[in-house]
Amino acid sequence: MTSIELLADALAAYRTGDRDQAAELAAQAGREGSTLADELRAYLAGDGSAPVYDQPSAFTAFIRGGGNVELYRALSAELAARYDSAKPESLLDLGCGDGLAVVPALEQASHLPPRIDLVEPSAALLDGVHERVPSAQCWQSTAQDFLARDDLGWDFVQSTFAMQSIEPEQRAEVLRALQPRTGTLVLAEFDVPEFEEGSPEHLHSLVERYERGVAEYGEDATLVAQGFLLPVLLGIVSGQQRTNWEHPATVWAEQLTTAGFTDVGVTPLADYWWSPAVLITAC
């Protein structure tokens, strides 16, 4: 069996709760030269309840390395161009993180919205972005709680790879709340392939994509894999402690239409190891 087949079987075993079998299959795949297999075996050797490295440092290494460098460069340039074209008087960024997308976009743009609201659940990440955009009003909050607190509206709303972290039913509520209060909504998300979850095709696809993703990080591969990529992957496989709910771009567009947006379009943004990144615009 190839390392991909062995790893897919390892994920299938993990999905059924057989950690020992998953670890054994990962060890066999590692002997076939798979970096992902070595990382999976090491992860499964732990207690599985906490990453080897603290999540903030692992996520920082992930988001600021590998294919994310070019991805966010393209994203910020596209957002800046849209600020200059639309000239919004008010801007909302839901799930802004530490500003990796919005800060360079604002720095590149000729037009700066007079009112900027930045929303992020993590206090540490929000502090980082506030230092770089001192004129912004920063809110430590989830999107759900923030939109329930007042009836503000915005000319331009963006959310960059953050809506996928909201469980679909709650996301539907967020989109419905945004629709009457938004001039233009721009989502950056991934156009993921659609599989039956847990099917052999799904598990093979996960292995192939994650193998490419881990390989992009060189000396930081263990930090990124143990502290971020593997917890996310195994959450997808098991359906427990899940942190992401992604869809094909057509499904994102359908969700926006259901929420009441009437003009929805999808444009390519960048190639990426996980799936092609797209911009979804709705009015």
Side-chain angles (χ1 to χ4, degrees), residues 179-202:
Q179 192 277 327
R181 300 157 64 179
T182 302
T184 297
L185 172 64
V186 175
L187 303 182
E189 290 293 348
F190 296 109
D191 184 11
V192 299
E194 190 167 30
F195 296 103
E196 178 186 348
E197 290 199 1
S199 67
E201 295 81 9
H202 181 222

Side-chain angles (χ1 to χ4, degrees), residues 20-268:
D20 291 341
Q21 178 68 4
E24 173 56 31
L25 288 165
Q28 293 179 41
R31 291 193 287 272
E32 298 294 324
S34 166
T35 302
L36 176 62
D38 290 339
E39 297 295 347
L40 178 59
R41 179 186 53 78
Y43 187 85
L44 293 174
D47 63 14
S49 63
V52 174
Y53 298 91
D54 61 294
Q55 287 281 2
S57 65
F59 181 74
T60 297
F62 165 73
I63 204 68
R64 296 189 180 278
N68 284 307
V69 175
E70 289 301 322
L71 173 62
Y72 276 86
R73 183 177 293 132
L75 174 56
S76 295
E78 184 64 32
L79 290 173
R82 294 188 180 215
Y83 302 160
D84 288 343
S85 175
K87 294 182 170 51
E89 291 296 300
S90 52
L91 167 68
L92 169 65
D93 190 337
L94 287 173
C96 65
D98 67 352
L100 188 59
V102 69
V103 171
L106 291 169
E107 291 173 345
Q108 294 173 45
S110 299
H111 173 82
L112 297 183
R115 175 163 65 90
I116 301 173
D117 290 305
L118 303 178
V119 177
E120 168 57 43
S122 167
L125 294 176
L126 196 62
D127 286 345
V129 71
H130 198 193
E131 291 177 1
R132 301 168 69 192
V133 191
S135 64
Q137 178 69 50
C138 293
W139 308 82
Q140 184 190 352
S141 176
T142 64
Q144 300 93 306
D145 289 343
F146 175 74
L147 292 170
R149 66 190 305 158
D150 57 48
D151 58 357
L152 287 174
W154 299 269
D155 297 326
F156 195 102
V157 177
Q158 65 188 49
S159 185
T160 56
F161 308 113
M163 283 287 179
Q164 60 182 258
S165 299
I166 303 176
E167 186 274 329
E169 288 188 6
Q170 295 184 35
R171 185 196 305 146
E173 295 177 4
V174 167
L175 295 176
R176 283 195 296 268
L178 279 173
Q179 192 277 327
R181 300 157 64 179
T182 302
T184 297
L185 172 64
V186 175
L187 303 182
E189 290 293 348
F190 296 109
D191 184 11
V192 299
E194 190 167 30
F195 296 103
E196 178 186 348
E197 290 199 1
S199 67
E201 295 81 9
H202 181 222
L203 299 180
H204 275 80
S205 177
L206 289 174
V207 168
E208 290 173 344
R209 288 182 281 156
Y210 266 81
E211 192 78 75
R212 293 196 299 270
V214 170
E216 291 186 354
Y217 285 89
E219 63 183 19
D220 286 333
T222 293
L223 170 63
V224 171
Q226 299 294 321
F228 181 70
L229 287 178
L230 281 174
V232 172
L233 171 62
L234 296 179
I236 293 172
V237 170
S238 68
Q240 300 173 2
Q241 297 181 327
R242 185 165 178 170
T243 59
N244 296 82
W245 291 266
E246 295 181 289
H247 313 283
T250 53
V251 175
W252 283 104
E254 290 168 2
Q255 291 179 356
L256 288 163
T257 300
T258 299
F261 291 91
T262 57
D263 187 4
V264 181
V266 179
T267 56

